[in-house]
Amino acid sequence: MITDTTSGNRGLLQAEPLIFETGHATGAGVDLPAPKGTPNKLGGLGRKAALDLPGLSEPETMRHFVRLSQRNYAIDLGLFPLGSCTMKHNPRLNERAARFEGFADLHPLQPTSTIQGALELMDELAHWLCTLTGMPAVALSPKAGAHGEMCGMLAIKAALEARGESSRKRVLVPSSAHGTNPATAAAAGFTVDEIPARDDGRVHLDDVKAKLGPDVAAIMITNPNTCGLFEPEIKNIADAIHAAGAYFYCDGANYNAIVGKVRPGDLGVDAMHINLHKTFSTPHGGGGPGAGPTVLSAALAPFAPVPHIVLKAGVRELREHIAGTQAFGRMCAFHGQMGMFTRALTYMMSHGSDGLRQVAEDAVLNANYLLARLRPHFSAPFGERPCMHEVLLDDSSIKPKGVETIDMAKALLDEGYHPFTTYFPLVVHGAMLIEPTETEPKRELDRFADVMIALAERVKAGEVEFFKQAPKLTPMRRLDDTRAARQPKLRWRRGENDAGAKVAAE
Ligand SMILES: *Cc1c(COP(=O)(O)O)cnc(C)c1O
């Protein structure tokens, strides 16, 4: 914590302890009458000591959470160059539509006769997703990309079981894959077989063929891949996979680079999740839950999870079973993230099909503009050719000077930017993955590029200490990431509450 003022505050930014440290058990924001002589039915199991809840007045509560929110970097504060995450602007039009009471105030157990509009919206979203991807079916319910992967892999598992081929256990995953891919395959009961990386950052047909066999269940490939490159052999790989009796799971997290340009269905994809919080501009994390609808090929569609929306004589119903299908189960208690469906469909309809094509074009153009500006100052492993939607740099040109990827990331904090993605993909040492997205105007890209280039100049000038000291201007200085991961402090106990200050001081 900053210690050069009496209060611990800095400028107009207020230091903020935990709510348990500021609160006082006797205070409360409301004034309720004491309960009238209700007999205690706890039979001696009642609490002996005070509950120790933080009691705060209403203004204190407001201030606590608003101060915390000021410590958070957000897409509404500035460019968020995090590669692989697609941090794009969340249009306010989406927010307005999601707040219409006909969508926002529904309960999932309401009779379907009272939610016809909401079901129509879900059907319309499904129609757009199927049309854009060229796939016949979609499961809307998965609640994140990783959850969508699980949905796709469970559909593959069910299809194999239905064929009497549950002995197919091996799933091929390139070494450049996002960690969720092997994790999903393993969690779904498959074994993971890694396809080693090649120097050009792409998956080669020969490497896939060499791994094929009667025990292969599926391949999981990201396209465009996590190096920001389109996989040129993707169709041939899909054909080889199918010829071997296996399925093709495509990780669609990077779909924003090709939406409206390429239909995954035409590439032979059997299942692909679409992160609505990436491609279709719905908020990430604290701003709203994720949503990972998963499109399925004709071969996998019969195994799609319930519920299904069925239109009969102009009325939509939610069905748990449709004759001739063998749903593998369900992905969540109800129907998925209604608020995110509303936001995503608003984004689609406000762009139109031509506008969505331009989303992909502008995302790729913005990334290539950054690549062109940064390439002279940094090492760009595959940068001799244009990239897709993200720019991959590494620290090989700055490391000999004593500055690494982590130091660049920390220096960016002082400049008011959330860092780029660090050390991912793993196949590139010291990776710095930058994704500007289509929603950043050229002025913002130039400001960011100017900052990156100025930092590169500092490296050239040998200002190693500048980097090792960074961040200097944030409320917390450089933290011990390794110790935080190895010895995480997951619980706060009264009396040990100086731990935070101690970590900061170190
Ligand atoms: C983001 C991402 C995922 C996981 O999606 P979540 O919505 O975060 O669960 C999977 N693969 C890739 C390549 C990603 O970028």
Side-chain angles (χ1 to χ4, degrees):
M1 208 48 81
I2 303 136
T3 49
D4 51 3
T5 58
T6 309
S7 57
N9 300 338
R10 185 184 179 114
L12 288 174
L13 192 62
Q14 313 244 342
E16 190 58 11
L18 295 179
I19 196 166
F20 284 91
E21 294 163 0
T22 40
H24 29 88
T26 50
V30 287
D31 189 7
L32 298 170
K36 283 193 222 105
T38 325
N40 183 333
K41 294 179 185 168
L42 294 172
L45 294 174
R47 172 184 292 279
K48 302 278 187 302
L51 187 52
D52 203 15
L53 286 177
L56 293 181
S57 65
E58 183 171 325
E60 285 172 308
T61 311
M62 263 328 276
R63 286 172 187 158
H64 174 70
F65 287 105
V66 171
R67 283 174 189 165
L68 285 187
S69 76
Q70 290 177 330
R71 311 247 138 171
N72 201 5
Y73 191 79
I75 193 72
D76 289 341
L77 281 174
L79 180 136
F80 215 126
L82 210 47
S84 201
C85 296
T86 314
M87 305 297 292
K88 59 172 79 166
H89 172 62
N90 313 133
R92 288 304 173 269
L93 185 61
N94 299 0
E95 298 303 318
R96 179 159 159 69
R99 279 164 180 71
F100 289 149
E101 59 188 25
F103 298 131
D105 293 350
L106 301 181
H107 191 281
L109 292 177
Q110 254 174 260
T112 48
S113 62
T114 65
I115 55 165
Q116 287 295 305
L119 294 180
E120 185 177 343
L121 182 144
M122 289 167 73
D123 245 355
E124 185 71 21
L125 175 68
H127 171 74
W128 277 75
L129 292 175
C130 289
T131 306
L132 286 167
T133 55
M135 302 283 277
V138 61
L140 292 179
S141 56
K143 297 202 174 184
H147 204 211
E149 291 174 32
M150 183 56 95
C151 176
M153 294 311 285
L154 290 179
I156 288 172
K157 194 174 182 182
L160 289 171
E161 275 166 18
R163 273 163 45 185
E165 294 187 43
S166 32
S167 57
R168 288 181 179 265
K169 285 280 179 232
R170 202 151 49 92
V171 171
L172 310 181
V173 182
S175 52
S176 61
H178 193 270
T180 51
N181 292 184
T184 300
F190 296 104
T191 56
V192 177
D193 191 2
E194 190 172 295
I195 304 170
R198 290 257 198 150
D199 286 347
D200 64 358
R202 295 180 163 92
V203 180
H204 286 246
L205 178 61
D206 296 341
D207 296 347
V208 174
K209 278 190 170 157
K211 294 267 184 193
L212 288 177
D215 62 332
V216 172
I219 191 167
M220 298 180 85
I221 297 189
T222 310
N223 192 33
N225 69 23
T226 57
C227 298
L229 307 170
F230 191 85
E231 292 287 359
E233 292 200 288
I234 199 77
K235 181 72 178 78
N236 296 337
I237 291 171
D239 291 345
I241 285 288
H242 290 147
Y247 295 99
F248 173 14
Y249 186 91
C250 182
D251 181 328
N254 296 337
Y255 184 49
N256 60 318
I258 56 171
V259 58
K261 307 289 285 186
V262 182
R263 301 192 315 165
D266 298 335
L267 302 178
V269 169
D270 288 300
M272 181 181 93
H273 72 262
I274 299 164
N275 311 59
L276 296 187
H277 46 289
K278 292 180 180 172
T279 301
F280 295 110
S281 81
T282 71
H284 285 242
T294 303
V295 288
L296 298 168
S297 65
L300 296 183
F303 306 96
V306 293
H308 302 291
I309 298 174
V310 177
L311 178 63
K312 227 178 88 185
V315 179
R316 284 186 172 80
E317 290 173 23
L318 282 164
R319 288 268 189 85
E320 294 292 311
H321 185 70
I322 297 178
T325 64
Q326 305 163 61
F328 67 73
R330 56 190 311 135
M331 293 304 295
C332 57
F334 295 115
H335 327 312
Q337 306 287 16
M338 189 65 204
M340 298 306 137
F341 298 161
T342 313
R343 288 173 175 87
L345 186 63
T346 306
Y347 187 74
M348 292 171 172
M349 296 181 86
S350 56
H351 280 76
S353 52
D354 56 334
L356 287 177
R357 189 174 306 129
Q358 199 182 335
V359 161
E361 287 169 0
D362 287 354
V364 172
L365 178 64
N366 276 0
N368 279 286
Y369 180 70
L370 274 188
L371 175 63
R373 283 214 57 195
L374 297 179
R375 191 169 32 201
H377 306 275
F378 290 91
S379 152
F382 312 113
E384 70 286 353
R385 278 196 274 165
C387 58
M388 292 295 288
H389 61 303
E390 47 198 0
V391 184
L392 182 55
L393 306 177
D394 69 25
D395 63 3
S396 59
S397 64
I398 56 176
K399 214 168 171 178
K401 298 257 181 193
V403 177
E404 301 178 28
T405 290
I406 189 73
D407 306 318
M408 283 296 291
K410 299 295 182 190
L412 267 185
L413 291 174
D414 280 338
E415 295 286 350
Y417 284 106
H418 189 286
F420 37 73
T421 290
T422 56
Y423 301 103
F424 178 83
L426 303 177
V427 291
V428 171
H429 288 289
M432 300 185 256
L433 190 62
I434 302 169
E435 178 174 5
T437 82
E438 79 281 6
T439 57
E440 291 303 330
K442 180 169 175 294
R443 264 191 310 278
E444 289 282 346
L445 299 182
D446 278 327
R447 250 162 51 102
F448 177 72
D450 290 346
V451 166
M452 287 288 287
I453 293 166
L455 291 175
E457 293 297 334
R458 282 181 182 273
V459 177
K460 255 196 225 140
E463 297 181 36
V464 178
E465 264 320 287
F466 168 86
F467 287 93
K468 298 297 174 190
Q469 291 293 318
K472 283 206 186 82
L473 306 175
T474 52
M476 292 285 174
R477 299 287 304 275
R478 196 181 287 215
L479 302 178
D480 185 343
D481 296 339
T482 315
R483 209 176 105 208
R486 290 287 155 89
Q487 304 166 359
K489 251 200 153 80
L490 301 176
R491 201 173 145 192
W492 177 86
R493 286 192 189 87
R494 195 168 289 285
E496 293 176 16
N497 56 0
D498 51 348
K502 241 167 62 195
V503 170
E506 285 166 16

